Amino acid sequence: MNALGMAMRNVFRYRRRSLITAAAIGFGVMFTIAIDGMLAGTERESARNIRDYETGDIKVYPPEYFDDRAVSQFTSFIERDDRKRLEAILGDRRWTPRVNAQAELDFGEEWFAVPGSVQATLTAVDPVRDGDTLAVARMVDSGRWLRKGDTGIVIGSWLADDIGAKPGYWLTVECKGRGGFYQTFDAEILGTVTTENPVVNRNGAFIALDAADELLALEGGVTEYVIRSRKGDGASAEAKELSLAAGGLPVDVRTWEEIAHDEILLTKAKSSGSKLYLFFMFIIAAVGISNTMLMAVMERRHEIGMLRSLGYPTIRIRGMFVVEGFCIGLLGAAMGLVGGIALDVFMIVKGIDFSFMLREMDVGYRITGVMRSAWNLPGIVSAVVGSLVISTFVAWFPSGKMLRKEVAEILRS
Amino acid sequence: MIQVRNAVKEYDTGAQRVTALRGVSLEINDGEFMALAGPSGSGKTTLLNLIGCLDSVTGGEIIVDGSPISALGPKERNRVRMERIGFIFQNYNLIPVLTAIENVALALEIGKGLGEREFRERSARMLAEVGLAGLENRRPNELSGGQQQRVSIARALVKEPPVVLADEPTANLDSKTGEEILALMESLNARHGTTFVFSTHDPMVMRHAKRIVRLHDGEIVSDEIPPANADGTGAKQ
């Protein structure tokens, strides 16, 4: 009888106990797989929504703009002449120029039941190129998207809901123009957008670049170019190529990972926090299996004594318990794998709709509604392997004290 | 030959120190069928454990075939148990998840370098010898107490050790089954020349012994050959 065969028989000897322990491990593995898949899916979707609605794959900024971009100081621009040269370098890539500014949107009593004002991120866009490069233009849910020469505005749907705005209403926009002067202009709401990115829905306001150029005295300057990489995920290499190609131009090329560094860090921190809970879940499973093996050792002490009386070395007897722990872990891992994959399938196909929550609060992820999982093979493998390693590892210890005793003492106890 | 020289065994029971054997000396010759007799607490099991390398002496020496046991490390003592000594326990100590033949084969799986087929053949032969032919694939819970003890005897003998130590082998059996087990041990002793040393406090069991060593409070009080088995040398002590 080999150790594996004997271990399997002993696992089924204490069927209920083994099943409870395996179920605890399975529970841990299942939730590790499911939560890991959910985190992977959320991270992936969040990253996609950052790229599709905010950053593209690469951005080109004026020099010294990047570090202070949150302040939107409106002093650094890629100037008209440099733009022409840059656009020649960008060639047939998908790219679009943008100007970002902070604005105050005033809504008066003529159009709104409750007048007031609200902060928004005002982005001046090339209506055609923006639609080819980013996804906002495709997400209009009422009214229409911008056209060249428009003096109206498109706003995020959550923002519109908050202030009770509809297409056809008028807003007064207050913001700084180039050089720091304050500009105020009226703009008709042309449409609202409901995107997959909560930042756009909550704060986004878009005007046509040619109108902005006149209103804000931009003199042909823009604050950024958003570029889609030809290489898909190879934005970093392409950013280097662009940086080299634009060597003579006063521009600063950044990848989306650099731009969204804080958001990525936040996502990773959330992911680590969630994994800590999973770690504790595994600890509980480890305590469970340790307890099971301790009970097995205590109940089978006479068998241990008998085996030693036959001349079995302690390492071999210990090995039997370790293999038994491994078998319980294997059973648990199999149960957890099936359960975890089932949950993953459900979460990938259906997902869970968190829109009621995400509409009201910023959870750090750029997702707006249904959280969906993604297959994360390394996560699945590490959950299964982790449970097996822990089960095997903790099964090593309980027999140690017993095996250090004299055989007669074991038999007598 | 096994020599016990002035063996002392003391135990710590936490609050006090108990002396289980007080300078016991004894020689056990090859092929003997010997009983260690005495009431509970007299030191029978302790002496068996010391002879079988299951425990260590506090003082004195146990010598098996000229080698002092106390000089041996754990691995060597394992080897002595594996190669030279078979054990029969009062509670049989069979592994419930294994069949009769697998329980017997356990003794062969360690150390001999035999193949699975040879394990099974030898184990089946041994089970047949102890009267369990046809019951090889039964688990212990499907066997009577006497049958379980026969499996335990087969396990002790399958590796053909020169010495078999049995701790109250009939204590959990009814008298008829106990007689059968003793008859079996006697026949194996006669056929294979295996030395049997067994502990008992049952006079019925002692009647089968060819030599009876009586212990009381950790000391040998008599060492005699029963008249029915005497060959002229008479009582040793």
Side-chain angles (χ1 to χ4, degrees):
Chain A
M1 169 69 44
N2 59 40
L4 188 63
M6 185 118 123
M8 283 311 288
R9 288 197 199 177
N10 277 319
V11 166
F12 288 103
R13 175 179 176 182
Y14 305 105
R15 198 170 295 137
R16 187 175 298 177
R17 190 197 301 161
S18 299
L19 272 176
I20 289 170
T21 311
I25 295 166
F27 194 73
V29 170
M30 180 175 78
F31 277 96
T32 304
I33 290 172
I35 292 176
D36 204 61
M38 204 163 141
L39 288 171
T42 309
E43 273 177 42
R44 235 171 267 182
E45 194 172 336
S46 187
R48 198 191 67 216
N49 288 337
I50 288 174
R51 292 163 81 171
D52 282 355
Y53 294 99
E54 296 176 55
T55 64
D57 299 319
I58 300 164
K59 271 190 181 183
V60 178
Y61 293 109
E64 295 163 17
Y65 181 89
F66 180 75
D67 292 336
D68 297 323
R69 66 194 186 282
V71 183
S72 193
Q73 72 280 56
F74 236 53
T75 51
S76 303
F77 289 86
I78 301 172
E79 302 297 352
R80 195 190 308 272
D81 292 344
D82 293 334
R83 282 181 61 190
K84 281 183 186 158
R85 289 163 63 196
L86 178 64
E87 286 168 12
I89 292 166
L90 293 174
D92 61 355
R93 289 180 180 86
R94 287 186 293 146
W95 52 265
T96 185
R98 280 183 157 196
V99 174
N100 280 314
Q102 289 304 313
E104 188 92 11
L105 305 182
D106 298 329
F107 39 102
E109 56 191 8
E110 188 180 349
W111 296 96
F112 296 88
V114 182
S117 68
V118 65
Q119 289 278 336
T121 302
L122 183 68
T123 308
V125 301
D126 178 324
V128 178
R129 281 203 164 272
D130 214 86
D132 291 340
T133 311
L134 296 170
V136 188
R138 296 193 294 274
M139 308 308 284
V140 175
D141 64 349
S142 67
R144 64 170 177 82
W145 181 241
L146 300 164
R147 293 180 194 134
K148 280 196 173 176
D150 274 342
T151 53
I153 190 167
V154 170
I155 60 174
S157 60
W158 295 357
L159 173 62
D161 285 347
D162 287 347
I163 63 175
K166 288 180 181 165
Y169 288 17
W170 284 72
L171 293 168
T172 302
V173 182
E174 290 178 51
C175 68
K176 277 185 183 176
R178 181 168 183 167
F181 72 93
Y182 281 93
Q183 173 65 296
T184 303
F185 58 93
D186 292 332
E188 182 190 356
I189 299 172
L190 300 172
T192 61
V193 284
T194 301
T195 71
E196 294 151 305
N197 187 323
V199 170
V200 175
N201 295 350
R202 198 177 284 126
N203 295 323
F206 301 88
I207 58 173
L209 185 58
D210 48 2
D213 191 74
E214 200 171 309
L215 288 164
L216 306 179
L218 299 175
E219 297 166 12
V222 296
T223 58
E224 65 188 34
Y225 271 78
V226 181
I227 301 151
R228 297 316 293 243
S229 169
R230 283 169 176 160
K231 297 176 181 171
D233 287 336
S236 184
E238 194 162 343
K240 274 183 192 157
E241 282 173 27
L242 277 176
S243 199
L244 281 173
L249 287 173
V251 291
D252 180 14
V253 181
R254 301 282 178 163
T255 63
W256 77 272
E257 285 108 328
E258 289 175 274
I259 301 160
H261 181 252
D262 292 348
E263 287 79 4
I264 291 170
L265 269 186
L266 185 68
T267 304
K268 288 202 186 309
K270 279 172 183 284
S271 177
S272 305
S274 305
K275 279 173 182 164
L276 198 63
Y277 289 116
L278 297 172
F279 172 74
F280 285 125
M281 205 177 278
F282 266 121
I283 293 289
I284 292 166
V287 170
I289 201 158
S290 182
N291 186 46
T292 297
M293 296 317 297
L294 186 63
M295 285 173 78
V297 167
M298 294 307 288
E299 284 171 5
R300 287 173 10 220
R301 59 193 179 280
H302 287 143
E303 289 170 31
I304 294 172
M306 180 276 293
L307 288 169
R308 290 200 62 197
S309 77
L310 290 176
Y312 275 67
T314 55
I315 186 80
R316 182 142 173 199
I317 297 170
R318 214 165 189 187
M320 289 178 182
F321 286 99
V322 169
V323 173
E324 204 170 314
F326 174 81
C327 287
I328 294 174
L330 195 64
L331 196 64
M335 288 159 74
L337 186 64
V338 170
I341 286 175
L343 276 178
D344 260 2
V345 168
F346 172 79
M347 286 297 297
I348 288 167
V349 174
K350 300 280 280 182
I352 298 176
D353 189 353
F354 285 108
S355 54
F356 65 94
M357 196 171 82
L358 298 168
R359 167 74 176 78
E360 300 303 325
M361 58 191 270
D362 183 0
V363 293
Y365 290 116
R366 295 291 206 273
I367 52 170
T368 54
V370 179
M371 270 189 180
R372 285 202 171 80
S373 294
W375 292 114
N376 185 17
L377 193 60
I380 293 172
V381 170
S382 51
V384 170
V385 172
S387 68
L388 290 178
V389 169
I390 288 171
S391 307
T392 311
F393 180 71
V394 297
W396 174 259
F397 300 99
S399 57
K401 191 177 175 190
M402 187 68 78
L403 288 167
R404 280 194 293 276
K405 292 179 180 176
E406 288 278 6
V407 185
E409 199 181 338
I410 300 171
L411 289 166
R412 201 168 44 238
S413 58
Chain B
M1 180 195 258
I2 297 167
Q3 295 166 289
V4 181
R5 288 187 186 161
N6 201 26
V8 176
K9 181 64 190 178
E10 292 176 342
Y11 294 109
D12 263 329
T13 59
Q16 57 179 347
R17 201 161 174 79
V18 174
T19 304
L21 287 180
R22 302 165 190 273
V24 168
S25 293
L26 179 70
E27 282 190 3
I28 303 166
N29 295 309
D30 294 344
E32 284 207 71
F33 196 73
M34 190 184 103
L36 292 174
S40 290
S42 59
K44 309 183 294 289
T45 301
T46 304
L47 184 54
L48 274 182
N49 288 339
L50 293 176
I51 293 168
C53 299
L54 300 182
D55 212 346
S56 328
V57 289
T58 312
E61 190 57 271
I62 310 284
I63 298 165
V64 177
D65 291 339
S67 304
I69 296 296
S70 58
L72 303 178
K75 279 187 183 172
E76 287 80 11
R77 287 169 64 192
N78 251 2
R79 184 157 288 280
V80 171
R81 287 198 295 268
M82 184 166 58
E83 291 175 352
R84 303 202 51 77
I85 299 167
F87 292 91
I88 299 168
F89 301 99
Q90 180 181 334
N91 296 323
Y92 328 128
N93 286 340
L94 300 178
I95 294 185
V97 292
L98 301 183
T99 61
I101 197 165
E102 286 166 344
N103 266 291
V104 174
L106 270 181
L108 295 173
E109 285 178 14
I110 189 79
K112 288 247 177 186
L114 301 175
E116 175 90 21
R117 195 172 164 183
E118 198 168 348
F119 290 164
R120 292 191 77 84
E121 281 174 6
R122 281 181 62 172
S123 303
R125 265 205 309 275
M126 203 63 233
L127 281 171
E129 199 165 346
V130 299
L132 292 179
L135 303 179
E136 295 89 348
N137 293 318
R138 295 226 181 144
R139 292 203 174 172
N141 63 355
E142 298 166 330
L143 298 170
S144 69
Q147 287 170 328
Q148 289 186 52
Q149 192 58 296
R150 284 168 190 265
V151 175
S152 160
I153 292 169
R155 183 182 62 197
L157 285 164
V158 72
K159 56 186 176 178
E160 298 168 355
V163 179
V164 171
L165 306 175
D167 187 11
E168 309 229 18
T170 61
N172 285 352
L173 303 173
D174 61 67
S175 55
K176 182 171 172 287
T177 313
E179 284 281 359
E180 286 171 8
I181 291 294
L182 282 162
L184 173 66
M185 285 164 56
E186 273 184 284
S187 108
L188 292 167
N189 166 255
R191 271 184 285 156
H192 299 288
T194 309
T195 306
F196 275 82
V197 181
F198 51 94
S199 64
T200 185
H201 55 259
D202 182 349
M204 180 276 286
V205 176
M206 281 180 235
R207 279 205 300 275
H208 289 262
K210 290 173 185 148
R211 179 182 169 193
I212 302 173
V213 174
R214 292 180 194 278
L215 288 141
H216 191 80
D217 286 342
E219 290 176 334
I220 293 179
V221 292
S222 74
D223 182 352
E224 61 194 32
I225 293 172
N229 294 309
D231 56 2
T233 53
K236 285 190 167 183
Q237 192 175 315

